[in-house]
Amino acid sequence: MSKSSRIIGIDLGTTNSCVGIIEDGRLLIIPNDEGFRTTPSVVAFTREGTILVGNAAKRQQIMNPENTVFSIKRFMGRKYTDREVANDIKLIPYALQPADNGDVRVGVLGKVYSPPEISAMTLMKLKKDAEVYLNETIEKAVITVPAYFNDSQRQATKDAGKIAGLEVVRIINEPTAAALASGFDSKNKMRVVIYDLGGGTFDVSILKLGQGIFEVMSTSGDTHLGGDDFDQAVIDYLIEDFYTKEGIDLRNDRVALQRLKDAAEKAKINLSTLDSVEITLQFIAVSKDGPKHLQTILTREQLEQITSDIAERTAGPCEKALVSAGLKPSEIDEVVLVGGQTKMPLVRNVVRRIFKKEPYTGLNPDEAVAAGAAHQASVLKGDIRDILLLDVTAFSLGLKTEGGIFSKIIEKNSSIPTRRSEPYTTTKDDQSFVRIEVYQGEKPMAADNKMIGTFDLVGIPPAKKGMAKIEVMFDIDANGIIKVSAKDEATGKKQTIKITPDSGLSGMEVDRMKKDIGEEFSRKIKSGDKAPSSPEYKEEKSKGDEGLPGEASDPKKKASIFDIFKKKER
Ligand code: AMP
């Protein structure tokens, strides 16, 4: 197999993943080894010591629930104590536990994995299938993430790539990718809605396109709304129907439930093009009279009746996204459908009603995000020119100031890369240093937001309170990496930090996982190895030109009444 300089585009989805590449200016979606154009993001560990990824893992999911890891994307870059994790944990049958640094870990068959490791297994399969298909080794990828992913979640996604042996050359937002793939003539200014209803999540984003710029104006969604809810409604219907006819409850029979889930999803998909389907599950149960078969007809009308409330739940987030972009439906030029579930006619009706227009159907909803990632890969390789991608920050960023008040420097939804500075001052006479505490979030009090970094600027000359002028600068690059610096205007002293997640994996851990997983994967070994330990990421501090005293590196030592400062008028 020859080495390639090609960069693949990967949509690493919560439910399904997809890989694309631009070949001679044309999009190629790379099929997996079973010939499917998307691959379930599911990893299963069998008691025989085999690791299954993709369709093979999904097919045995309900029969082996404790050892089948799905929706790992929900736990990427998360702390075990995060509110979202507390909610999600109730919905998954596999075991989660906290790591030493508080991150989430998955426990399977006596072994402990980090979410990036599990994600890496899906990525390794995608990489391998692409290599076999293209007959070349692939080493580089563009990977997409939801627009609301924070720094830790993006970093975890990069780690997953590294563990899988891929250099992640760029992380881009999923709605941006979908807009890029739509190929609207970006010379004309347009406002585009990306309505993304996948297997387990719903995301809606409003983008502004024009002159080669793709800017996310707002995002909203529901992290627990998707195709799985439609499947569950059909499963419940079938169980009810069978109970009425046969008096047998299938709810506690795992094998029956796996068969029901597969049949329900298949029926739902077929009803996107057919008016009715026949569902037959032979020998689904046994009674004292002998074996029982489930046989029923489901019409599109019935499916729409039992799922209309689910489709309607997408309306609220759409309205929110419109409000936060300050737009009316009549000001939207196109609505792009993304995610397999948007192929359902009922969902399209809801979209039509909300936005009062016909949705754009020029893209395959399953492949739109991967297509955009492939497109971006091509831009980065230099094959496609004249496109500038502008993403936005998912949260506001700022500082804690006097009285614990959060002072925003960069507003949520600001385009990145960006750079902004604000002047601040001291609150006490002869205050010799200020503590810079960096927060992200939207709440007025800093303590209600998330602290993402802290450092001190020392050596401020004695002066009356409010006299010093300290310019605090935020700098966010194209990958969303944040740098904060503070400069005392009087002395020119400057201190800078690069914000890195207080969680996540260290470089050494990533390297070790890459080796371990690579070996485990190729040998499909039995589990039981020792779990890797997880030291915390540290803030990478860099000193300013002036050679500041070493005390600046240990902020805890100096917590005092002087550590809060307030904004200064320019
Ligand atoms: P995604 O996460 O974008 O891959 O979307 C997966 C979801 O789309 C699953 O719940 C699928 O059952 C659903 N899906 C795929 N194709 C169709 C279809 N033709 N009609 C309705 N739902 C579909």
Side-chain angles (χ1 to χ4, degrees), residues 221-253:
D222 183 334
T223 51
H224 289 103
L225 178 60
D228 291 345
D229 298 297
F230 291 76
D231 300 347
Q232 193 56 50
V234 177
I235 295 170
D236 291 343
Y237 173 84
L238 294 175
I239 288 176
E240 201 59 49
D241 185 56
F242 191 72
Y243 187 76
T244 313
K245 288 178 184 157
E246 305 288 350
I248 299 174
D249 187 358
L250 297 172
R251 265 171 227 280
N252 297 318
D253 179 343

Side-chain angles (χ1 to χ4, degrees), residues 42 44-48 52 55-70 93-94 109 251-262 284:
V42 184
F45 300 81
T46 69
R47 292 194 182 278
E48 295 72 45
L52 305 170
N55 288 301
K58 185 175 170 181
R59 274 186 220 115
Q60 55 83 72
Q61 184 169 1
I62 293 181
M63 282 166 319
N64 181 26
E66 305 85 4
N67 307 314
T68 303
V69 187
F70 61 96
Y94 54 90
L109 292 173
R251 265 171 227 280
N252 297 318
D253 179 343
R254 278 187 183 183
V255 179
L257 283 174
Q258 175 77 57
R259 292 178 67 196
L260 280 165
K261 163 85 182 163
D262 296 345
I284 192 85

Side-chain angles (χ1 to χ4, degrees), residues 430-461:
D430 298 332
Q431 182 172 336
S432 65
F433 76 93
V434 286
R435 167 147 310 157
I436 313 287
E437 286 186 19
V438 184
Y439 283 81
Q440 68 180 24
E442 312 312 317
K443 302 274 165 57
M445 296 307 289
D448 298 328
N449 296 317
K450 187 177 180 217
M451 183 161 78
I452 56 170
T454 178
F455 67 98
D456 293 346
L457 179 67
V458 301
I460 299 168

Side-chain angles (χ1 to χ4, degrees), residues 11 14-17 38 58 196-200 226-228 231 265 268-270 272 338-344 365-366:
D11 167 11
T14 307
T15 317
N16 293 301
S17 295
T38 61
K58 185 175 170 181
D196 181 351
L197 189 61
D228 291 345
D231 300 347
E265 185 176 8
K268 173 193 77 174
I269 290 175
N270 285 332
S272 287
V338 177
Q341 192 57 46
T342 62
K343 291 186 192 168
M344 185 183 195
D366 292 329

Side-chain angles (χ1 to χ4, degrees), residues 60-254:
Q60 55 83 72
Q61 184 169 1
I62 293 181
M63 282 166 319
N64 181 26
E66 305 85 4
N67 307 314
T68 303
V69 187
F70 61 96
S71 287
I72 195 66
K73 192 168 170 180
R74 297 185 186 278
F75 306 114
M76 295 285 277
R78 290 240 184 245
K79 293 282 180 206
Y80 186 76
T81 49
D82 283 355
R83 193 163 33 92
E84 293 84 353
V85 173
N87 286 336
D88 289 342
I89 208 167
K90 293 181 218 138
L91 307 173
I92 51 154
Y94 54 90
L96 294 186
Q97 60 191 66
D100 294 346
N101 67 351
D103 282 4
V104 175
R105 291 287 182 272
V106 180
V108 211
L109 292 173
K111 218 180 154 183
V112 179
Y113 296 93
S114 65
E117 278 177 290
I118 301 284
S119 235
M121 294 183 194
T122 297
L123 286 173
M124 283 170 86
K125 175 172 171 57
L126 302 176
K127 175 178 183 296
K128 193 168 139 232
D129 287 351
E131 288 177 339
V132 169
Y133 190 83
L134 299 169
N135 196 27
E136 281 177 26
T137 15
I138 303 287
E139 288 170 345
K140 292 183 181 171
V142 168
I143 301 184
T144 57
V145 296
Y148 57 78
F149 254 28
N150 65 23
D151 210 39
S152 312
Q153 291 167 299
R154 285 167 199 261
Q155 191 62 52
T157 306
K158 276 194 146 183
D159 288 346
K162 252 188 241 162
I163 296 168
L166 283 168
E167 181 195 340
V168 182
V169 287
R170 183 66 65 88
I171 295 274
I172 64 166
N173 288 335
E174 287 158 10
T176 307
L180 197 54
S182 306
F184 298 129
D185 183 358
S186 58
K187 281 185 203 80
N188 303 321
K189 285 216 166 100
M190 298 177 78
R191 293 189 184 104
V192 177
V193 169
I194 309 291
Y195 177 103
D196 181 351
L197 189 61
T201 54
F202 172 58
D203 295 306
V204 56
S205 316
I206 303 181
L207 277 78
K208 197 157 71 180
L209 318 186
Q211 267 123 33
I213 292 172
F214 295 69
E215 186 186 335
V216 185
M217 297 174 76
S218 68
T219 64
S220 186
D222 183 334
T223 51
H224 289 103
L225 178 60
D228 291 345
D229 298 297
F230 291 76
D231 300 347
Q232 193 56 50
V234 177
I235 295 170
D236 291 343
Y237 173 84
L238 294 175
I239 288 176
E240 201 59 49
D241 185 56
F242 191 72
Y243 187 76
T244 313
K245 288 178 184 157
E246 305 288 350
I248 299 174
D249 187 358
L250 297 172
R251 265 171 227 280
N252 297 318
D253 179 343
R254 278 187 183 183

